[in-house]
């Protein structure tokens, strides 16, 4: 069983603190910037970064739906980690300064992939699909914070 990884990044025309605060705001902002691939969004505990417990369903393809229950931590400044209680999936969001009034947002998702031929297809296609979903989410986030 090999680990699968999907990485996406975007430069956003807002300072790093503003971008990070918006990303960590599961109560008001996160639900607004999710793409149509996410459904049943619900904050179950907390709502602002560390200590948040959030639920959603992620429909990566027409046949693949992941029921996610995510525990949020902030291991270092500018970093959010979402660990799925229902699977091996871990998503790490990192926001760093990228010049005057700009920041770089990077999202990395890793999980234990399937074995065999199914695993081959998962390792080949899932990172690209998830990358497109997170690219759209980061675009929505940029639109939200660049207002």
């Amino acid at each position: 069983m090999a680990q699968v990884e999907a990485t996406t990044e975007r430069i956003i025309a807002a300072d790093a603190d503003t971008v990070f605060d918006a990303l960590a705001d599961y109560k008001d902002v996160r639900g607004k910037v999710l793409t149509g691939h996410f459904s049943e969004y619900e904050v179950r505990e907390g709502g602002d970064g560390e200590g948040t417990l959030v639920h959603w369903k992620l429909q990566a393809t027409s046949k693949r739906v992941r029921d996610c229950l995510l525990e949020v931590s902030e291991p270092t400044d500018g970093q959010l980690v979402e660990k799925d209680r229902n699977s091996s999936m871990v998503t790490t969001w990192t926001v760093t300064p990228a010049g005057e009034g700009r920041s770089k947002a990077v999202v990395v998702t890793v999980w234990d992939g399937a074995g065999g031929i199914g695993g081959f297809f998962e390792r080949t296609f899932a990172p690209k699909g998830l990358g497109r979903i997170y690219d759209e989410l980061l675009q929505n986030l940029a639109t939200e914070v660049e207002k």
Side-chain angles (χ1 to χ4, degrees), residues 16-33:
D17 287 341
T18 299
V19 174
F20 182 82
D21 290 347
L23 198 56
D25 183 353
Y26 292 85
K27 200 171 13 191
D28 297 319
V29 178
R30 187 64 80 92
K32 288 195 287 189
V33 301

Side-chain angles (χ1 to χ4, degrees), residues 5-8 80 90-94 106-110 130 134:
E5 181 176 314
T7 302
T8 306
L80 280 175
V90 177
T91 300
T92 303
W93 302 85
T94 306
V106 180
V107 55
V108 179
T109 300
V110 294
L130 196 56
Y134 280 124

Side-chain angles (χ1 to χ4, degrees), residues 75-86:
T76 62
D77 284 351
Q79 191 172 67
L80 280 175
V81 176
E82 300 169 343
K83 290 184 180 176
D84 187 9
R85 286 185 179 175
N86 298 332

Side-chain angles (χ1 to χ4, degrees), residues 7-84:
T7 302
T8 306
E9 63 182 61
R10 176 177 289 271
I11 299 294
I12 298 175
D15 66 80
D17 287 341
T18 299
V19 174
F20 182 82
D21 290 347
L23 198 56
D25 183 353
Y26 292 85
K27 200 171 13 191
D28 297 319
V29 178
R30 187 64 80 92
K32 288 195 287 189
V33 301
L34 292 177
T35 71
H37 296 89
F38 296 85
S39 64
E40 299 183 29
Y41 182 83
E42 175 189 20
V43 176
R44 296 196 177 163
E45 293 175 19
D48 184 22
E50 179 87 30
T52 296
L53 182 65
V54 64
H55 171 266
W56 59 61
K57 288 193 176 174
L58 170 59
Q59 182 150 8
T61 68
S62 60
K63 295 178 183 175
R64 182 77 169 120
V65 179
R66 224 182 242 270
D67 189 340
C68 302
L69 183 59
L70 303 147
E71 296 176 348
V72 179
S73 64
E74 294 183 33
T76 62
D77 284 351
Q79 191 172 67
L80 280 175
V81 176
E82 300 169 343
K83 290 184 180 176
D84 187 9

